[in-house]
Structure formats: structure tokens, C-alpha cells
Amino acid sequence: MHILSKSTYIKGLQCEKALYMQKKHPYLRDKLSIEQRAKFQRGTDVGVLAHDYFPGGIDMSPNAPSQFPKKVKETMDNLNNPEVNVMYEAVFQYNDTLIMLDMLVRDGDKWLAVEVKSSLRLSDTYYNDAALQYYVLHGCQVPLSDFRLMYLNADYVKNGPIDVQQLFKLESAMEYVVEREAFVAQNVERLKAVVALPHSPLVDIGTQCHNPYPCDFQGHCWKHIPKDSFLFTNAIDDETLFQNYFNGVNTNAKMLQKVALESLEAHQIEALETNSYYIDYKTLYALSPQPKPKSVAYLNLLLHRPAVPEIDGTKPYEEMILAFALQGEHEPEGNFVWDCFDDHSRWKEAITLLIEKLSHYELIVCFTPQNLSTALLRHEIIQNQTIGHKVLNLFDVLQQTSFYHPKIKRGLSLQNLSEALFEECKLFEHSRIILEATSNDLLGYQQAREDLIAENEMVAKTYQHLFK
Ligand code: SF4
């Protein structure tokens, strides 16, 4: 059986302990967030579609991990079978390292290796993945004509059935992966030695816990850190916080000696110790709508950005309005929900409806990390000159007022915010609503509508709490 795979290798590069834990104590992992699950699903969907770029191949993916050795042998046999020209998820193993390659395509007397990414541009991580795959392919003596990364073409516009030749772009990573081979070889040996250790390597918590990915063993490794530790603040960057921590500044009292009395860091530590939040009230007051608006609408837009365009005339990741919930005095029973879950091609109907409905309100309150004014403007829902005073995005308000609570250390989501502000809070996540709304399931649709309203009620509650 193999010792390393692409995911464990990448994990090991981030932290040796994370690799060891993954191999020996995977049950100690934190639960996968819905956002991460949605990302994995998106990657799988795009990967399957990409097979049409080189059609007619054999799918080598195993049904269970126990089949890996069998699939490795079959893949190697297929390399010498003149009837096989394309393999999907071809399985290779070299020096105890196993990879599955998205596509391997016969190219004269050599093979073209292709790895598919569901994004619009290529990042360093993708090149690192490719370098490991090349190391294994080279070790298995697969004659390669090229190693290419395939990703989505931002300029592709859907017109009829998806044209995969236009939807994807290919870029050679050959030069990079050949250059990195010695580096990969060194790391493979180092990481194999880590897995062979009789106990977990001694690695203290540090910046690697969040960078480049949030590690899923934090629940385990951070157990000894008090819940109100300054390590949970975000006024100072992680690097500086940990520099202090490693230099013996390991209590809040010691950290407070390092910073000014009225600094943001000091306010955040106080918030931690008193289990409350910090907000810059002066700025909040300056941002409060003046004069008090007579009619306020709470708007929750469900924007959807499918990796593969669904509607003619749209591009990869182009935004569409899948639903919106509106709460306000002009709505029947206080709440109105519109959606096109069952037929996304109707999404532009939302625009006409929103133009009409929002015109009855003086203030539109929302909570979104995206710039809602820009989205509304892009879809010409409200006119440019009225946007400034009509839309109040609580997300922006909280950023501008330096709002802090330990719950929002790793991100200001409505879920985290409501847990910070209110003791009782219904559990929901915006990404879960998107998953429900795109589930092709009537029960999912119903749940998505209910959750949209629940989110909007939280927006209303937050607005009233801040500007009471
Ligand atoms: S939480 Fe931090 S120290 Fe622990 S395994 Fe993850 S990265 Fe390593």
C-alpha cells in the first residue's frame, strides 16, 4: 500500500504533524465545513465534464481504496495496450507515493498528462500538485510529451450545448515540474520518515495552522490554549502574534504590556476576557442612517456563480440571482421570497421584481461580504446616484467599526456574527443554502427558502441591535 498521496503530501508540506495525524489519527479531524464540501463537489463536476475534451477514454478510478494496487497494475498494462488512447483517473505509484491523474492521452509514442482545475486562473498550489504528479509519472517511466494544466476559460460564452474545446484552456507546466523534481524527491523522503515515526512529531501551533489552508486538526492541537487567549485576536497579524508567543509572551497580561492601552489589540483582549464584543461606537454613530429612514427593507440575495455556465449568454462563474428574500412593511405578512430554483433560466425576472419592490423603501439593509451595491448596479436594479444612501451593508459597517468578537476571528459570516451578538441562534450557513437551492430536490428548495428568511431575520435583528 502507498504511504503518501497528493492530499497527504500537500498536508505534509504545510505541517508534518498534520500529515502524521491524518495518517495515524484521522478520527481527530475537525468536521468538514459545508463550504469545503461544496468546493470538492464543484471540482468533481468540472473534472467529469473535462473528460469530453479527450473523449472515449477508460475510467480507471477505483471503487474502494483496496482496489488501488489492482488499478496501478491495470494502468501500467494500458500504457502498452495500443487500443487504449485515453485514461481518466489513471493510478500510478512510485516510491510509496500514489497519484490519480485526471487525464492521460496518447500522443504519438509518448503520453500527454493533463490535470484539471475548476478555476479561472492557475495558482502556485496547482503547480505544486503537478510537480508531485510529474515526480511519480517520471518514476514510473511514463514517456511524457507534456504536462498540462487545464482550467476554465474566463472568456467562454455559452451558446447552446457546452463546447468543452472552448470552455477549457490548457497551459504547459512541464518546465516547472521538471525543475521541481529534486525538491519533490527530497520532500517525499522527509515526509515518509515522518509517517514512520513511532509518535507524532513535536510541532507547536503556529502560522501554519491557518496558512495556506485552515488545518483540520486545530480542535485537537489548540486544546491547551485558553479560549480567551490573545492568539484569537486579529488586530495584529498572525506572524507577529506567534513571534511574541514563541518569545515567551504566552499570557494576555504579558501581551498587554507589549501594546498601547487604547490599541485595537488591547480592546480585543478585553473583549475576549469579558466574553463580549468590541465596536468603535464613534464610527458606528457616524455611519448610522440620518435622518432615521421611514421605511427599511431587509434584503437577502442568493447569488449563484456556477463554474460551468448554465444559461446561454453567460460565462464561467458568472453571477445570477437564484432567489431573494425581502422583509419590510410593504410585503405581504412582512416577508416576500422569490426564487427560480426549478428553472434558472428565469433568473432575470428577479431584476424587474426587485426594481419595483425596492422603490418603496428608503433604506435597504443587507449583510454580504460581496459589494451588494455593485451587484445591484450591475443588474441595473437601482440607479447609480441613489445607491450611496439606499444600501447599507452591515458587513461593511462592521469592518469599518473594527467589530471584534472571538467568534469572528477566522471570518465575518452572518453565522459567526449572530453567535457573537445573540445567545440563541439558528444554525445556518449561506453556502448550505446555495447547496440546498441547487440540489434538484423539492425538499431542498423548501429548506433554502426557509433559511433565506431566517438569515434575513438575523440581518434585521443585527441592524436593530446596532442602530437601536
Ligand atoms: S493544528 Fe497546526 S500544529 Fe496542529 S497539525 Fe494542524 S497545522 Fe500542525
Side-chain angles (χ1 to χ4, degrees), residues 14-19 21 203-206 208-210 215-222:
Q14 178 166 345
C15 172
E16 291 185 353
K17 185 175 176 185
L19 166 66
M21 300 294 285
V203 178
D204 204 349
I205 58 168
Q208 81 280 1
C209 299
H210 309 120
C215 176
D216 38 16
F217 288 102
Q218 290 183 48
H220 173 73
C221 295
W222 284 63

Side-chain angles (χ1 to χ4, degrees), residues 225-324:
I225 302 294
K227 292 264 176 294
D228 63 356
S229 163
F230 70 90
L231 287 173
F232 292 104
T233 58
N234 63 9
I236 296 178
D237 63 275
D238 259 14
E239 200 125 333
T240 315
L241 286 182
F242 278 108
Q243 256 169 27
N244 279 290
Y245 175 74
F246 295 132
N247 287 333
V249 181
N250 51 9
T251 63
N252 289 353
K254 288 183 188 168
M255 189 63 191
L256 283 169
Q257 286 171 8
K258 295 269 202 182
V259 295
L261 204 61
E262 285 300 313
S263 65
L264 194 51
E265 179 67 12
H267 288 308
Q268 291 194 348
I269 291 175
E270 191 191 340
L272 276 165
E273 291 184 340
T274 54
N275 196 26
S276 57
Y277 61 81
Y278 169 77
I279 195 161
D280 172 359
Y281 280 105
K282 221 167 126 186
T283 308
L284 183 68
Y285 182 76
L287 291 171
S288 78
Q290 298 293 350
K292 226 174 163 46
K294 291 196 190 77
S295 56
V296 180
Y298 301 97
L299 173 66
N300 192 3
L301 270 189
L302 194 65
L303 299 171
H304 178 42
R305 292 182 179 82
V308 178
E310 295 175 0
I311 315 288
D312 278 1
T314 61
K315 295 178 176 180
Y317 288 104
E318 189 166 324
E319 169 188 283
M320 65 172 85
I321 300 171
L322 217 52
F324 69 84

